[in-house]
Amino acid sequence: MRKIQMVDLGGQYQGIKEQVNDAIATIMETSAFINGPEVHAFQKDLETYLGVQHVIPCANGTDALQIAMMGLGLQPGDEVITADFTFAATVEVIALLQLTPVLVDVYPDTFNIDIAAIERAITPKTKAIVPVHLFGQCADMDAIMALAKKHDLFVIEDNAQAIGANYTSKNGTKQKAGAIGHVGATSFFPSKNLGAYGDGGAIFTNDDALAHTLRGIVNHGMYERYHHDVVGVNSRLDSIQAAVLRAKLPKLDEYCNKRREAARKYSKAFAGQPHIVVPKTVNGCEGICDSCDCHVFHQYTLKITNGKRDALVKHLGEKGIPCGVYYPIPLHRQKAYRDERYREADFSVTNELSQQVLSLPMHTELDDEQIGYITATVIGFLNE
C-alpha cells in the first residue's frame, strides 16, 4: 500500500507535470513574474468557470477577505457577523480593520452558519455577514441573501474551502460557490481543491464599481503608476502560481468528483456505526448519492460521539494514518477574540463540534486500498 497522506500534491502533479513545467519555463524565459500574461489569462479563465464578471487575483486568501471588506468601505466599529466554527483568518481580518466581529453558532449537521443565530445577532451597527462555506459546501445562501436584503447588509462569501461547489437556490437557479453574495473571496493555498504551489487568492464580484475599487486596492491603491487614488495594499498573485492554477482549473471538476467518490466510499464503509456521524450535505444526504454536486469535500469530517476522538487521533497516528481536527478551539474562546458579550450557551453546537470532529485524508489520489485500511482502522478502534 502506498503511504497515506492527508493531501497528495505530488501524485496530483504527475497528471499536469508537462503543462506546469512548460508554463513555468516560459515565465522564467520572459521574466514576467508579476502581473504577467499567465495572471491575466488565469483571471479570465476563472471568470468563465465561476460565471462572474470580475475576478481580482491577489496574494492569499486572507488578503482576499481583507481587501473585500476594504473595498466595501466598512468603517471601524461596524459589526460583521460570521461563524464561530471556522479558521481564524475569517475573524482576523475583521479585527485588523478595527471592525467588530460578531461570532454566532453553526448547524450541527452541515457545520455551516446558523441562520436564526445570524438574525438574532443583527443590530443597527451590523453592516455585513460573512458566511463560511465550510469543508466544501455552501451555507444557506437563499436565507442569507434574504436577511441581507431585509437589513441592507453586505454579504462576503468566505469561499476558501468550497471552490467548485454548486449551490442550487429554491427557485432552481444554480450558481458556483463564491459567486452569489456581493463579493466572494477564496484561497489557493496548496492543499485547497484548486491549490497553487505557494500562496495565492482571489476576489470575485459582479459589481463593476466594486471591482474597480478592488483592483486599485490590491496594487497599492494605484490605477496609474505613482498615482494613489485609494488606500491600498501590496497583494498580487505571481505569474508562476497563476500558471499552476491555470493548469489545474480545467481539471477542477474532475478533482472534485474524485473527492466526492472517495467521500461516498468512506460514508458507505461507516454506515451503521453507532459512534460515527458521517458528513451531511445541504441536500440532506450523507455524501453517498451519485448526483450530489453541492459538496466538494475539501475535508471529509466525521463526528466521533463516544468521547474517544482524541484517543482515535493518537491511534491513527500510530497506524500511519494522518488526520486533522478542524477546529479544536472555538474562536470565541481564543485569547485574541474573547468578548464579554459572548455567552457559552450561545455556542453549544460549536463547543460540541470542537470535541467531536475528525477529518480523514481527502484528496484526488486516494485509492480503494487506502480507504479500506483507513475505515477498518477507525471502525476497529471504536468497536474495541
Side-chain angles (χ1 to χ4, degrees):
M1 183 176 67
R2 292 183 299 115
K3 180 181 178 181
I4 298 173
Q5 301 183 65
M6 197 68 180
V7 180
D8 186 0
L9 294 176
Q12 187 186 69
Y13 167 65
Q14 297 307 312
I16 55 174
K17 183 175 182 178
E18 183 176 349
Q19 185 178 351
V20 168
N21 289 355
D22 287 348
I24 292 175
T26 299
I27 293 166
M28 299 304 291
E29 292 291 340
T30 62
S31 300
F33 299 118
I34 301 294
N35 284 333
E38 285 288 341
V39 176
H40 298 295
F42 171 66
Q43 172 192 323
K44 295 297 183 184
D45 290 348
L46 189 56
E47 286 169 350
T48 299
Y49 177 83
L50 294 172
V52 296
Q53 293 296 311
H54 306 283
V55 166
I56 299 91
C58 62
N60 57 69
T62 306
D63 279 5
L65 282 169
Q66 177 178 326
I67 292 160
M69 293 179 194
M70 292 172 68
L72 291 171
L74 301 181
Q75 298 297 311
D78 287 347
E79 293 179 355
V80 179
I81 298 171
T82 194
D84 187 38
F85 189 63
T86 185
F87 183 60
T90 312
V91 69
E92 179 179 67
V93 296
I94 299 170
L96 279 170
L97 294 173
Q98 298 184 43
L99 310 172
T100 302
V102 178
L103 299 170
V104 301
D105 215 353
V106 298
Y107 291 124
D109 49 3
T110 65
F111 311 139
N112 276 326
I113 194 165
D114 184 315
I115 303 305
I118 295 174
E119 190 155 27
R120 288 193 298 270
I122 294 172
T123 75
K125 293 183 178 180
T126 305
K127 293 296 185 290
I129 304 168
V130 184
V132 180
H133 301 328
L134 200 70
F135 298 154
Q137 65 178 331
C138 283
D140 185 348
M141 290 302 294
D142 281 340
I144 290 168
M145 295 306 293
L147 276 179
K149 183 176 181 180
K150 177 181 177 182
H151 296 280
D152 193 24
L153 306 175
F154 293 117
V155 174
I156 305 160
E157 293 179 73
D158 183 340
N159 196 40
Q161 298 187 20
I163 193 162
N166 291 304
Y167 179 79
T168 304
S169 297
K170 292 181 175 64
N171 64 8
T173 302
K174 185 174 286 192
Q175 293 173 278
K176 289 292 185 184
I180 305 162
H182 298 95
V183 61
T186 201
S187 166
F188 300 127
F189 187 78
S191 64
K192 304 300 186 185
N193 290 34
L194 181 62
Y197 292 161
D199 266 322
I203 312 151
F204 329 132
T205 186
N206 288 308
D207 184 320
D208 295 345
L210 176 58
H212 177 73
T213 301
L214 296 172
R215 288 195 180 97
I217 292 173
V218 301
N219 191 33
H220 297 290
M222 294 189 296
Y223 301 99
E224 181 181 351
R225 192 166 178 79
Y226 300 126
H227 293 255
H228 304 275
D229 295 348
V230 295
V231 175
V233 297
N234 177 20
S235 184
R236 295 170 297 209
L237 180 69
D238 74 68
S239 297
I240 290 176
Q241 302 310 326
V244 172
L245 293 165
R246 195 172 177 218
K248 287 188 175 187
L249 182 58
K251 299 177 74 68
L252 178 56
D253 288 343
E254 175 189 333
Y255 292 160
C256 291
N257 285 334
K258 286 183 177 180
R259 287 171 175 265
R260 292 184 186 111
E261 181 60 26
R264 284 193 286 269
K265 291 173 180 177
Y266 272 139
S267 292
K268 287 178 180 177
F270 291 132
Q273 293 297 317
H275 305 302
I276 299 174
V277 179
V278 300
K280 302 293 194 303
T281 72
V282 292
N283 292 336
C285 72
E286 296 182 347
I288 57 176
C289 59
D290 292 338
S291 62
C292 183
D293 65 357
C294 64
H295 205 316
V296 295
F297 290 98
H298 173 61
Q299 302 291 350
Y300 181 87
T301 302
L302 302 171
K303 291 194 290 184
I304 306 301
T305 60
N306 63 350
K308 294 185 177 181
R309 193 273 310 276
D310 291 345
L312 176 58
V313 169
K314 181 180 178 182
H315 179 72
L316 292 176
E318 292 170 350
K319 296 297 182 179
I321 300 171
C323 60
V325 174
Y326 312 118
Y327 300 93
I329 304 172
L331 288 176
H332 78 274
R333 290 182 176 177
Q334 297 284 356
K335 183 177 180 180
Y337 305 114
R338 290 175 189 162
D339 194 299
E340 62 183 13
R341 296 169 302 157
Y342 296 144
R343 301 179 305 159
E344 287 299 319
D346 293 331
F347 301 101
S348 58
V349 174
T350 296
N351 288 338
E352 183 175 68
L353 290 177
S354 69
Q355 299 300 311
Q356 294 182 343
V357 293
L358 175 66
S359 297
L360 297 179
M362 174 53 70
H363 52 80
T364 58
E365 311 306 307
L366 279 172
D367 61 37
D368 289 350
E369 184 180 19
Q370 292 174 316
I371 292 172
Y373 176 69
I374 293 165
T375 55
T377 304
V378 171
I379 292 168
F381 178 82
L382 293 177
N383 289 338
E384 284 180 351

